[in-house]
């Protein structure tokens, strides 16, 4: 057995970055050389920490738009104020002393961040005002007319064309100012807007070769395509609905949870039918499912418009537009408001790491060979991602910063999103974009000439902006490299995200499922992989996401059960060994990932009930079929199929955290990794988790260590009948602790724990124990109920919950209701004997399906 492994102590191991993922090519940024970093850092080194704190959330004076500032950021220090007497302390270096050797790097990027904020304050009225670019650029109502502005420095002439002028721009020529911004004011016609709502528009310009081209406006708020024309390009749409057609939000944002339990969803593929689903259908049909499974956050993929559906939304063409495949901007607002009404927060999967390579309908169409200073993107190889076939932003450009920062504010304020999941952050952070880069955790890999400091500063500015607009926002970064400081506040010299995705965990599970038989599973390796994250930097753990579901790969359920899922999931027949093993390990893998892998948890749509097969978007290779680009909800809704058991356990996992808040607890101690018996024991908060991965052995009287003395009972049991288990663990058994060793001397304790108790641990099960509050018992004469029973009682209050949950005897329901009238909490857990009676009675109920 292995002694305690605790994340409470700031050991060198605890500061290590994530173990590298074998698939680093998915996470790739732009390339720049910062050879002068140390020189500049030396000049500005003193006072970095105090200077940084002063500029995190300042109050800015307002100035008018169009202030005289170059479109390219300069090194002019005349506008930058520094304080030589400020200290040299940088907070992140105090947390991790191993970073002190890179103090020059931190000072350099802090100076760039502060200098940039000073420039915003001097010329734009501050960061928050600067990020209101959507009120100036694109189409906006101003003084009895519509004003259209577009940044396009290389254009020689420009016009606005569309349905409103018969696509003839000769009467709507635009004027260019000294900063490359083209503008035109189109007066109202007889009191009505000259450009009607929901009509098509484009930006027409002539570049240096004398060629005229039409492009979708960069700041367009809606874009559509003619569905009757195959391969038709998208058109920009002027979206300005009258008040009667605008959606008005009715519900406030839910409060920020202690720990996010995230349901990752793709609206388009959320229908049970082979078609694209709508925002309103998702809101009405899928959101209630998410709420019923006790998630508190929804993460929406593919919201920003993307012309190629199979890109999963990651090749964005129109950054301020909602994906028109699923509806209008007002429809998306309805979805978000509906989520808020259900107590669900909504995060957006935002893609600022790259842009679609499309010319006719994407931002790339504004690149006509000009220099990087006059473009959204870098030029040459530096501006192109060779694995993603996409363009890379120039984060050092003034107008690029305006565009991207305003984009964040737009989604927060116009649509009431509650935060973001930044995609492809590894690509942003390094000039090599993570391509063929096997990150090992060596700090030199993170702080060198390979680091794109412009991108780092952009992310610092972005997080500063987000937190100033919405202090309760949740920001998650998809980073496989494990860059230190990514999850620390900007005020400490960090990048400022709240969580990073624990991306090595799903790769570990795939490796085990593909390459190891059950006897080869290492408890120590699994435990280390799940706990290997940086001290004080929070992570979102997940066993599988959309990445593990795409064509060419398999979900965990399909890895475990494969073709038997087509014939062996009926409860009307006995479960085969493959199905029995598959369901048991599916529950264990997801639960230990949740409980040990991070400070939040994520599940991709459908994986909660073991959705079979894979995701394959319509494409030429599959005959443009939607058959595998949907979610088969009928599988979990059909009462005689075993999918309901995995779904019920997923609901119970989330309910356990809802009740005991173990995800947000900083107390996480692994006390036992028993290789011989294939058992892992750990504490999270005051709960004790026992995982038995052995394929055959059941241990009666297995001794587990714990912190607090007292009486423990079962809080959650994967082997319970309602989760498709065998009901081998008694839920009404009291487990009393015994002291171990000398108090205060860990080496004399049992597995470094001062107390212990004994449990029954069946093969392929996980059981959680909670400490009984005996003062409540003495007062009320009754015990706290288990999570399983809480779910049974709540199920009677949820729409259609009886169809997907275990059947409960009417008499038992009446007894529970009587107890609820007397007490707000707690009834005695159903005993193992009663569970068996329920099972026997179930078989004779009329008009009910026989359960296995």
């Amino acid at each position: 057995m292995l002694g305690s492994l605790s994340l409470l102590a700031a050991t060198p191991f605890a500061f290590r970055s994530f173990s590298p993922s074998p698939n680093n090519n998915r996470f790739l940024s732009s390339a720049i050389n910062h050879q002068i970093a140390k020189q500049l850092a030396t000049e500005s080194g003193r006072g970095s920490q105090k200077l940084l704190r002063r500029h995190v959330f300042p109050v800015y004076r307002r100035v008018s738009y169009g202030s005289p500032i170059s479109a390219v950021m300069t090194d002019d220090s005349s506008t930058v104020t520094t304080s030589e007497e400020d200290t040299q302390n940088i907070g992140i270096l105090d947390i991790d002393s191993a970073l002190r050797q890179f103090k020059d790097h931190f000072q350099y990027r802090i100076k760039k961040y502060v200098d940039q904020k000073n420039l915003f304050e001097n010329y734009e009225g501050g960061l928050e005002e600067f990020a209101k670019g959507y009120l100036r650029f694109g189409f906006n109502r101003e003084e009895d007319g519509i004003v259209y502005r577009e940044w396009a420095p290389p254009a020689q002439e420009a016009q606005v064309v569309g349905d409103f002028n018969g696509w003839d721009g000769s009467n709507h020529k635009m004027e260019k100012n000294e900063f490359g911004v083209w503008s035109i004011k189109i007066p109202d016609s007889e009191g009505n807007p000259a450009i009607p709502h929901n009509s098509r528009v484009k930006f027409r310009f002539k570049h240096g070769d004398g060629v005229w081209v039409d492009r979708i406006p960069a700041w367009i708020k809606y874009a559509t395509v003619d569905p009757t024309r195959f391969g038709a390009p998208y058109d920009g749409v002027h979206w300005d609905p009258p008040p009667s057609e605008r959606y008005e939000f009715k519900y406030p944002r839910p409060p920020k949870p202690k720990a996010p339990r995230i349901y990752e969803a793709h609206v388009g593929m959320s229908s049970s039918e082979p078609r694209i689903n709508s925002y309103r259908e998702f809101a009405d049909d899928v959101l209630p499912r998410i709420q019923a499974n006790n998630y508190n956050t929804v993460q929406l993929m593919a919201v920003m418009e993307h012309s190629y559906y199979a890109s999963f939304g990651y090749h964005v063409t129109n950054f301020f537009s909602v994906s028109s495949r699923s509806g209008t901007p007002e429809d998306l607002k309805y979805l978000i408001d509906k989520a808020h009404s259900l107590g669900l927060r909504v995060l957006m999967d935002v893609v600022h790491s790259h842009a679609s390579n499309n010319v006719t309908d994407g931002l790339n169409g504004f690149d006509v060979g000009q220099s990087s200073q006059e473009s959204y993107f870098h030029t040459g190889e530096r501006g192109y991602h060779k694995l993603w076939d996409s363009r890379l932003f120039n984060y050092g450009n003034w107008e690029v910063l305006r565009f991207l920062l305003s984009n964040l504010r737009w989604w927060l304020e116009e649509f009431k999103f509650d935060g973001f999941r930044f995609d492809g952050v590894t690509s942003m952070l390094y000039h090599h974009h993570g391509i063929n880069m096997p990150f090992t955790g060596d700090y030199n890999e993170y702080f060198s000439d390979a680091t794109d400091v412009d991108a780092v500063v952009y992310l610092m500015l972005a997080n500063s902006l987000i937190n100033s607009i919405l202090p309760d926002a949740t920001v998650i970064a998809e980073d496989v490299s494990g860059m230190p400081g990514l999850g620390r506040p900007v005020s400490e010299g960090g990048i400022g995200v709240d969580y990073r995705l624990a991306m090595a965990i799903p790769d570990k599970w795939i490796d085990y499922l593909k390459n190891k038989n059950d006897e080869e599973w290492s408890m120590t390796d699994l435990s280390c992989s799940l706990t290997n994250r940086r001290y004080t930097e929070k992570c979102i753990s997940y066993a599988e996401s959309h990445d593990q579901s795409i064509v060419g790969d398999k979900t965990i359920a399909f890895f475990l059960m494969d073709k038997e899922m087509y014939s062996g999931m009926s409860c009307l027949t006995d479960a085969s060994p493959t199905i029995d093993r598959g369901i048991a390990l599916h529950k264990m893998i997801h639960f230990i990932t949740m409980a040990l892998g991070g400070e939040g948890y994520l599940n991709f749509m459908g994986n909660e009930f073991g959705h079979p097969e894979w995701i394959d978007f319509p494409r030429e290779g599959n005959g443009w079929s939607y058959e595998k680009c949907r979610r088969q909800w009928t599988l979990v809704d059909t009462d005689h199929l075993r999918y309901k058991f995995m779904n019920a356990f997923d609901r119970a996992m989330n309910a356990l955290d809802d009740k005991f808040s173990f995800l947000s607890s900083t107390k996480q101690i692994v006390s036992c990794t028993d290789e011989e018996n294939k058992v892992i024991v750990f504490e999270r908060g005051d709960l004790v988790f026992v995982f038995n991965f052995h394929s055959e052995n059941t241990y009666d009287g297995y001794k587990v260590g714990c912190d607090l003395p007292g009486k423990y009972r079962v809080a959650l049991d994967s082997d319970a009948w309602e989760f498709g288990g065998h009901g081998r663990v008694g839920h009404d058994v009291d487990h009393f602790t015994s002291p171990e060793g000398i108090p205060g001397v860990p080496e004399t304790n049992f597995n470094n724990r001062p107390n212990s108790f004994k449990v029954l641990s069946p093969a392929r099960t996980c059981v959680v124990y909670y400490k009984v509050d005996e003062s409540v018992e003495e007062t009320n004469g009754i015990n706290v109920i288990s999570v399983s029973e809480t779910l049974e009682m709540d199920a009677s209050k949820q729409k259609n919950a009886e169809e997907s949950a275990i059947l409960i005897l009417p008499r038992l329901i009446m007894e529970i209701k009587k107890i609820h009238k007397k007490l707000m909490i707690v009834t005695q857990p159903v005993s193992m004997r009663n569970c068996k009676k329920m099972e026997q009675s179930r078989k004779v109920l009329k008009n009910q399906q026989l359960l296995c």
Side-chain angles (χ1 to χ4, degrees), residues 36-53:
I36 61 172
K38 291 187 178 181
Q39 293 177 336
L40 292 179
T42 302
E43 296 172 6
S44 62
R46 287 179 287 184
S48 297
Q49 176 69 358
K50 191 177 291 185
L51 186 65
L52 181 63
R53 286 177 177 166

Side-chain angles (χ1 to χ4, degrees), residues 197-198 221-222 224 239 241 245 247 278-280 321-335 415:
H197 161 63
N198 206 19
K221 298 178 176 67
Y222 195 45
T224 60
W239 192 260
E245 297 179 19
Y247 185 85
S278 72
Y279 296 122
R280 289 184 177 268
S321 303
V322 306
S323 178
S324 58
R325 292 180 182 87
S326 294
T328 69
E330 312 312 305
D331 294 333
L332 177 60
K333 292 175 184 178
Y334 171 83
L335 185 162
F415 292 90

Side-chain angles (χ1 to χ4, degrees), residues 110-179:
I110 288 171
K111 181 182 184 300
K112 289 202 69 172
Y113 165 78
V114 174
D115 287 357
Q116 190 57 55
K117 292 194 75 174
N118 278 332
L119 287 171
F120 290 156
E121 185 172 2
N122 291 336
Y123 294 102
E124 298 279 357
L127 174 60
E128 290 187 47
E129 287 295 320
F130 181 69
K132 291 180 179 179
Y134 51 85
L135 298 178
R136 170 175 170 80
F137 288 85
F139 295 87
N140 290 284
R141 292 285 303 171
E142 293 183 18
E143 299 176 2
D144 302 322
I146 295 174
V147 176
Y148 170 50
R149 295 185 182 90
E150 196 73 70
W151 181 63
Q156 304 301 307
E157 299 180 49
Q159 305 169 353
V160 58
V161 297
D163 293 331
F164 77 100
N165 62 9
W167 299 91
D168 179 1
S170 59
N171 293 324
H172 294 93
K173 297 181 179 180
M174 304 177 70
E175 295 181 355
K176 182 181 181 181
N177 69 11
E178 66 269 37
F179 306 116

